[in-house]
């Protein structure tokens, strides 16, 4: 059956300044289909999103898309935000 892949990320995933068919999620879908897989790749990248925004998006909407796989792209500024995610979403004991 159909495999659904959800791509989360910032402008890199979204594809800032490129056409939709030139984004990495579109390229990934095209390549997997060429290899005979029944796949749908959803580009949920949003310009300016941080890891905490992506976690919130997944909790509010992404999980209801029933993805079989979630790919989260990160760039260097996301490493700093990851510390905030730990404090916001995970309790340390």
């Amino acid at each position: 059956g159909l495999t659904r892949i959800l791509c989360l990320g910032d402008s890199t995933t979204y594809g800032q300044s490129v056409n939709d068919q030139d984004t990495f999620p579109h390229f990934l879908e095209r390549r997997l289909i060429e290899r005979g897989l029944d796949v749908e790749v959803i580009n949920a990248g949003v310009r300016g999103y941080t890891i905490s925004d992506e976690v919130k998006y997944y909790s509010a909407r992404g999980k209801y898309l029933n993805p079989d796989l979630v790919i989260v792209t990160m760039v260097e500024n996301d490493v700093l935000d990851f510390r905030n995610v730990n404090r916001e979403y995970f309790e340390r004991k």
Side-chain angles (χ1 to χ4, degrees), residues 14-74:
Y14 168 78
Q16 175 120 5
S17 302
V18 300
N19 295 320
D20 288 344
Q21 67 267 19
D22 295 325
T23 64
F24 103 79
H26 184 81
F27 177 78
L28 175 64
E29 180 179 80
R30 192 171 64 235
R31 294 291 297 199
L32 292 172
I33 289 171
E34 286 172 2
R35 286 180 163 69
L37 298 172
D38 187 15
V39 64
E40 174 187 29
V41 179
I42 301 167
N43 185 348
V46 177
R47 293 178 343 170
Y49 259 26
T50 62
I51 294 173
S52 55
D53 295 317
E54 293 151 13
V55 170
K56 290 174 188 173
Y57 174 87
Y58 182 80
S59 295
R61 296 186 177 169
K63 65 183 176 186
Y64 298 109
L65 297 170
N66 297 315
D68 298 293
L69 175 68
V70 177
I71 297 174
V72 179
T73 57
M74 294 173 46

